[in-house]
Amino acid sequence: MESRFTETHQKLSDDGHESECDKIVKLLDLMIDGEASVEEQSYFNTHIEECVPCFESHQKQKLLKGLVCGHLKRVIVPESLALSIKARIQETV
Amino acid sequence: MSEQTGKQLSKEEKDARFEAELLPVLDPLYNFAYRLTLDEDDANDLVQETYLKAYRFFDYFEQGTNAKAWLFRILKNSFINEFRKKSKQPAKVDYSEVEGYYNSDDVEGEGGVASTTDMRTESVQDLIGDEVASALNALPVDFRTVIILCDLEGFTYEEMAKILDIPIGTVRSRLHRARNSLKEKLEKYAKSMGYNS
Ligand SMILES: [Zn+2]
């Protein structure tokens, strides 16, 4: 099933060729999510050693993920919930 | 058809197995439900409904497979198919979550947030969490969902694709746009923290 949002993929730059930096931008999420292949990782790491804007984008993306996983508070499960689930299951034949 | 589950379990055995395998997911599941509905009572109902459905279909659940992803998938489907239709009100920011933390003595309004050296103190940590929560809650539910699944629950793209019934390419592009949107909302705040160059 599809969402109400139109999914679009990033367009190639005007001349139809991707610059190295464009490729790096596409790898950002894969890198911070640990989904990049070994080849992608080494391509990425080599590039950001020399390219300051891409290095900074990587830092920002890591920071953003860190804000969510490190600072978003977890809500506390009400104690009664597990009990009522168990009770309702026992009633179910 | 009747012999497809193989060995028949007694109700007691089935219940025990169900509780042992699926109840440990209660905490992340409730948190997911809360982030979708932004309401504690709704989250409660949604989680109960999810477990009852899971119980009904427990024979189809293969022991030892990913219980967490399975339950998240059921919950997300319940939310879309029934829940979102039922609740007519648009998603709202829950301020009750925030209230408690502002009562703390060492928080003096917005001025206290500006200094990065205060970041280690717990009250400032709380404020960052509140800021992230309200930015996240302000996102459309589809965007909120991928960020929670990925960054909070640590699901892989492949697991997210299964939970959401969308191709991995769509997971990636949705996540990318969700993060841009979250970044935008947090940008002003990040600047005040000295994060942004
Ligand atoms: Zn670059």
Side-chain angles (χ1 to χ4, degrees):
Chain A
M1 83 132 261
E2 195 41 288
S3 81
R4 58 212 159 97
F5 297 101
T6 324
E7 307 289 348
T8 52
H9 293 275
Q10 273 182 306
K11 292 210 177 68
L12 299 174
S13 48
D14 291 343
D15 59 1
H17 290 91
E18 281 184 304
S19 75
E20 276 215 13
C21 295
D22 289 339
K23 288 183 195 161
I24 292 298
V25 168
K26 287 186 180 174
L27 292 177
L28 272 179
D29 291 298
L30 292 174
M31 285 299 292
I32 65 164
D33 296 329
E35 298 264 353
S37 68
V38 178
E39 292 78 22
E40 287 167 332
Q41 287 175 40
S42 83
Y43 178 77
F44 187 93
N45 288 326
T46 309
H47 181 89
I48 63 166
E49 268 173 34
E50 290 161 8
C51 178
V52 176
C54 287
F55 173 80
E56 283 177 354
S57 308
H58 184 223
Q59 294 302 108
K60 277 189 196 174
Q61 206 75 351
K62 277 198 287 188
L63 176 75
L64 185 73
K65 187 176 173 101
L67 280 175
V68 176
C69 64
H71 293 280
L72 189 69
K73 261 183 241 314
R74 297 192 75 92
V75 284
I76 296 170
V77 184
E79 282 178 31
S80 59
L81 185 53
L83 294 175
S84 48
I85 290 166
K86 285 182 193 174
R88 289 183 70 181
I89 279 160
Q90 273 162 26
E91 289 164 14
T92 310
V93 184
Chain B
M1 289 298 261
S2 58
E3 54 187 323
Q4 69 132 326
T5 55
K7 188 179 150 224
Q8 283 295 334
L9 298 173
S10 72
K11 170 142 176 77
E12 286 72 23
E13 283 170 328
K14 183 183 171 183
D15 288 4
R17 225 194 90 192
F18 181 86
E19 288 180 17
E21 295 210 28
L22 302 187
L23 275 186
V25 187
L26 181 59
D27 185 279
L29 202 61
Y30 180 78
N31 271 270
F32 183 41
Y34 177 75
R35 293 288 162 205
L36 289 178
T37 60
L38 302 176
D39 181 278
E40 289 181 12
D41 292 330
D42 289 347
N44 215 301
D45 293 346
L46 191 53
V47 168
Q48 290 207 33
E49 202 178 306
T50 300
Y51 272 105
L52 287 180
K53 269 187 201 156
Y55 188 78
R56 241 174 281 142
F57 293 101
F58 194 48
D59 290 341
Y60 298 90
F61 172 71
E62 287 172 51
Q63 199 159 8
T65 59
N66 195 335
K68 187 178 172 185
W70 189 59
L71 285 171
F72 269 64
R73 187 170 191 277
I74 297 175
L75 187 136
K76 166 247 148 200
N77 285 335
S78 304
F79 175 71
I80 286 178
N81 297 336
E82 295 149 47
F83 208 83
R84 207 161 14 164
K85 280 178 211 152
K86 258 188 263 169
S87 64
K88 292 202 182 77
Q89 61 192 117
K92 61 186 187 294
V93 178
D94 183 21
Y95 291 103
S96 68
E97 191 189 13
V98 178
E99 280 163 13
Y101 306 109
Y102 284 108
N103 297 329
S104 162
D105 288 332
D106 37 11
V107 178
E108 307 155 3
E110 283 178 294
V113 186
S115 165
T116 46
T117 54
D118 286 341
M119 272 187 61
R120 270 155 289 160
T121 71
E122 203 164 307
S123 58
V124 175
Q125 293 286 358
D126 286 343
L127 286 174
I128 298 170
D130 295 341
E131 203 67 36
V132 176
S134 50
L136 189 66
N137 293 353
L139 296 181
V141 70
D142 286 355
F143 281 4
R144 223 187 305 149
T145 302
V146 285
I147 287 182
I148 290 158
L149 294 179
C150 185
D151 295 343
L152 205 62
E153 298 302 340
F155 283 113
T156 63
Y157 292 177
E158 201 185 339
E159 287 168 333
M160 289 166 70
K162 281 181 187 150
I163 292 169
L164 301 173
D165 288 312
I166 54 178
I168 288 190
T170 310
V171 170
R172 284 180 59 178
S173 61
R174 196 179 289 178
L175 187 59
H176 185 73
R177 284 176 308 120
R179 281 182 173 147
N180 281 346
S181 202
L182 183 65
K183 219 183 290 179
E184 237 168 67
K185 294 196 189 305
L186 285 170
E187 205 111 274
K188 207 175 125 202
Y189 176 70
K191 278 192 184 118
S192 77
M193 296 293 289
Y195 275 157
N196 232 5
S197 47

